[in-house]
Amino acid sequence: MDTGTIIIGLTIFVLACFAGAELIAKVPPTLHTPLMSGSNAISGIAIVGALLATGHSESFSSISLIGFLAVIFATINVVGGYMVTRRMLQMFKK
Amino acid sequence: MSNHSINLIYLLSATLFMLGIKYLSSPNTAKRGNLLSMIGMAAAIGITLTTPGLHGFTLIIIGIIIGTVIGGYAALKVKMTSMPEMVALFNGCGGAASALVAMAEFRGPNTEFDSFTLITLLLSMIIGGLTFTGSLMAYAKLQDLISTRPITYPGQQFINGAIVLVTLVLASLLFQDPSNTLVFFGILALSLSLGVLAVIPIGGADMPVIICLLNSYSGLAVSMTGFALNNNALIITGSLVGASGIILTKIMCDAMNRSLANVLFSAFGKIIESADDTGEGPTGTIKGYEVEDVATILANAGSLIIVPGYGMAAAQAQHATRELGDYLGEQGVNVRYAIHPVAGRMPGHMNVLLAEADVPYEQLFALEDINDDFAGTDVVLVIGANDVVNPAAKTNPSSPIYGMPVLDVEKATTVIVLKRSMSVGFAGIENELFFMDNTMMLFGDARSSLQKLVATLKQ
């Protein structure tokens, strides 16, 4: 990886941390549990890496097996996280 | 699809995730936010599947089906009282997924890593690995599968420090020879054991902090994976989750007036035995009352503040609580709820339970918004809360919770405490509130006590 790419990556990381902190500070305490389950759901974005690892070659290998396990874990987060967040948010009424 | 188009879709996904969090700023818009976030995730997964040269679709589909069945089943079946356990497990899954992706990359066909990629892969594996086992431990503590009291032994911190040191040494070895399988698995084993050993000395009272911290770690692991794979969607999303977890960690620590280091290393919540020996425990008599006595007080109240704690969740008493609140509200009593930030076992736990029981969220007040009102209130009803209403936090400098912001319930005319038994709270200390003259204790299961109260009041 060339240094330019690394610096761009780090820049994105730092800016996203600050932007995230600003957004999250505005979430009221009453929604902190859905915030956590919602974060679980989006951390399932690791599924992108898991898909690429599982399908990296035509033949089955230890790498595709590791990727397969990662797909399962990440999907649990995505599906479970979004569904339980939705279930909770539907309960909040005026 | 070309790489550029794929990256543009990833940017769209990251934007939708950010909007999802932005819309969480109000319960009115939160559902829309969750939907946008879902669309972002679907787009990211969909576009990844069009990556040129991707194989193994059968395996991928099987994996997605298995994950969907497990995740969907858990999401539909989990009781709202068990959300802390659920989030703990999800944190663990997130850590595991990142660690596995890093491992796959490590064992992949490309073995020529530059040092930046190598460092981020290692960090992803170590942080993800310890998040996985640490979360399983947190889950076991929350479920009472292992003791909720801190598990300590001599030299504990020395051993943990040594593990960190050995991990670093092994990492530097792997740095010189990335193909060394033995060192690779050594690092994996150490990071997994570190997760276990770091969480067992932490008591049940501090699990809300640990869940937040592990939430943050799971995000950090995703970011590290993003660096290694040079994928901006992972970098951005990971930093969002990391920031969220660390902010919640800070809120929880502040609400207990403790530093994160103190939470992690002090084995808080060991039963304090010296109190009895020195005779410095609370003095006075506990006054246990009958349902009828308590009902009379409630029937004559003009204002009521309900203070729920973990005991309400444990007794599944949220619906019975709302019934009592609704009945008294109909009789013209001003009913409000006071929620301490660390009531329950995760941030916002009480709010979700009361929302489940159809309590309107406008009736819920945070500590700083309601604490001045206790003085002018007729009755406070404490349901299964203990440490968050302990006046020792204000009056007793030798108390472990001294300095923690607490709800000033004792300033009300009458305090009614629903409690299962006289056992100490999470912090392992006595509560002098229970011995005060204006306190009425009603012992028993919170749910059946509340149901009896409602029945008596309606007569």
Side-chain angles (χ1 to χ4, degrees):
Chain A
M1 211 180 288
D2 64 271
T3 318
T5 315
I6 294 173
I7 290 177
I8 292 174
L10 289 171
T11 309
I12 291 172
F13 179 71
V14 172
L15 291 179
C17 282
F18 278 97
E22 288 300 318
L23 289 175
I24 288 144
K26 294 199 175 70
V27 177
T30 213
L31 291 176
H32 278 169
T33 299
L35 171 65
M36 293 193 79
S37 59
S39 324
N40 286 142
I42 62 172
S43 70
I45 190 73
I47 194 169
V48 167
L51 294 174
L52 297 175
T54 312
H56 82 288
S57 81
E58 274 178 81
S59 55
F60 182 79
S61 65
S62 62
I63 301 161
S64 24
L65 182 67
I66 297 174
F68 172 71
L69 292 175
V71 170
I72 295 179
F73 279 117
T75 310
I76 292 175
N77 264 15
V78 170
V79 176
Y82 281 125
M83 279 176 67
V84 85
T85 306
R86 195 181 126 84
R87 209 181 124 199
M88 271 189 276
L89 292 176
Q90 280 173 336
M91 294 170 179
F92 283 87
K93 293 185 193 84
K94 274 205 168 178
Chain B
M1 280 274 189
S2 75
N3 264 334
H4 289 307
S5 330
I6 292 178
N7 282 331
L8 276 177
I9 298 292
Y10 285 156
L11 176 63
L12 175 77
S13 299
T15 312
L16 289 172
F17 295 159
M18 293 225 231
L19 277 176
I21 297 177
K22 187 174 161 56
Y23 281 136
L24 263 182
S25 59
S26 153
N28 295 324
T29 54
K31 264 186 286 180
R32 199 187 322 156
N34 195 48
L35 186 66
L36 289 176
S37 187
M38 268 189 232
I39 294 171
M41 184 61 76
I45 294 172
I47 203 71
T48 307
L49 292 174
T50 70
T51 306
L54 193 75
H55 306 278
F57 283 97
T58 320
L59 207 53
I60 286 174
I61 291 167
I62 296 174
I64 290 182
I65 291 174
I66 296 176
T68 303
V69 170
I70 299 175
Y73 181 81
L76 289 177
K77 289 289 166 190
V78 67
K79 282 189 177 150
M80 285 301 130
T81 45
S82 302
M83 276 313 295
E85 288 92 323
M86 178 93 166
V87 167
L89 286 180
F90 282 160
N91 288 341
C93 288
S98 297
L100 286 166
V101 171
M103 284 167 66
E105 190 70 11
F106 235 110
R107 312 313 290 171
N110 174 20
T111 48
E112 290 295 309
F113 298 109
D114 58 81
S115 41
F116 182 77
T117 308
L118 201 56
I119 291 173
T120 48
L121 278 180
L122 276 172
L123 283 174
S124 171
M125 199 170 89
I126 294 170
I127 299 172
L130 73 87
T131 304
F132 176 59
T133 50
S135 298
L136 290 182
M137 282 298 116
Y139 171 79
K141 287 218 172 207
L142 289 166
Q143 278 281 32
D144 260 334
L145 298 175
I146 57 172
S147 170
T148 57
R149 298 285 170 203
I151 299 169
T152 52
Y153 45 86
Q156 191 166 31
Q157 285 170 27
F158 174 79
I159 292 171
N160 289 354
I163 291 177
V164 174
L165 211 64
V166 175
T167 309
L168 290 177
V169 171
L170 288 184
S172 70
L173 284 177
L174 200 66
F175 219 79
Q176 286 154 19
D177 177 16
S179 60
N180 192 328
T181 310
L182 195 65
V183 173
F184 173 83
F185 283 108
I187 293 176
L188 183 64
L190 285 176
S191 60
L192 292 177
S193 49
L194 194 61
V196 175
L197 297 176
V199 173
I200 55 168
I202 300 167
D206 292 335
M207 276 307 125
V209 186
I210 296 310
I211 297 173
C212 296
L213 192 65
L214 290 168
N215 192 243
S216 178
Y217 285 177
S218 73
L220 202 58
V222 170
S223 274
M224 291 305 139
T225 313
F227 280 125
L229 301 181
N230 191 18
N231 183 317
N232 293 339
L234 266 66
I235 297 179
I236 296 174
T237 312
S239 55
L240 290 178
V241 177
S244 163
I246 210 75
I247 288 175
L248 293 174
T249 305
K250 185 169 172 356
I251 292 174
M252 293 291 106
C253 285
D254 288 350
M256 297 193 296
N257 188 38
R258 292 170 53 211
S259 69
L260 183 56
N262 179 278
V263 170
L264 294 178
F265 303 121
S266 74
F268 190 82
K270 278 279 215 198
I271 298 273
I272 294 171
E273 286 159 5
S274 64
D276 291 332
D277 307 338
T278 56
E280 280 174 9
T283 49
T285 45
I286 295 262
K287 293 176 290 296
Y289 286 83
E290 298 300 318
V291 169
E292 288 73 19
D293 309 323
V294 174
T296 311
I297 297 287
L298 284 172
N300 293 310
S303 53
L304 170 72
I305 297 179
I306 298 175
V307 179
Y310 181 69
M312 183 187 80
Q316 296 280 351
Q318 62 270 36
H319 298 279
T321 303
R322 195 260 307 156
E323 268 177 55
L324 179 71
D326 277 3
Y327 175 77
L328 291 170
E330 286 161 19
Q331 308 300 308
V333 181
N334 175 18
V335 180
R336 288 180 293 170
Y337 294 79
I339 315 284
H340 191 282
V342 294
R345 283 180 165 184
M346 74 181 296
H349 193 189
M350 292 297 120
N351 307 70
V352 167
L353 291 183
L354 292 170
E356 184 195 14
D358 285 332
V359 175
Y361 57 82
E362 283 104 340
Q363 284 184 16
L364 313 185
F365 292 86
L367 175 117
E368 63 272 18
D369 297 327
I370 202 166
N371 223 13
D372 293 336
D373 294 3
F374 282 109
T377 298
D378 295 335
V379 180
V380 169
L381 180 62
V382 178
I383 306 174
N386 191 343
D387 299 329
V388 298
V389 293
N390 193 337
K394 294 172 285 193
T395 55
N396 181 1
S398 66
S399 168
I401 61 165
Y402 184 69
M404 166 174 164
V406 288
L407 294 161
D408 298 333
V409 292
E410 73 281 359
K411 291 187 179 156
T413 313
T414 309
V415 183
I416 299 165
V417 180
L418 301 192
K419 204 169 176 341
R420 201 174 41 188
S421 67
M422 266 316 286
S423 64
V424 293
F426 277 139
I429 48 173
E430 291 284 359
N431 191 338
E432 61 188 90
L433 174 72
F434 306 153
F435 299 84
M436 287 180 169
D437 288 336
N438 60 339
T439 300
M440 302 171 79
M441 303 294 291
L442 180 58
F443 289 108
D445 174 71
R447 186 165 61 169
S448 75
S449 293
L450 287 162
Q451 285 164 344
K452 282 182 211 155
L453 277 173
V454 175
T456 313
L457 281 166
K458 282 184 177 170
Q459 274 167 17

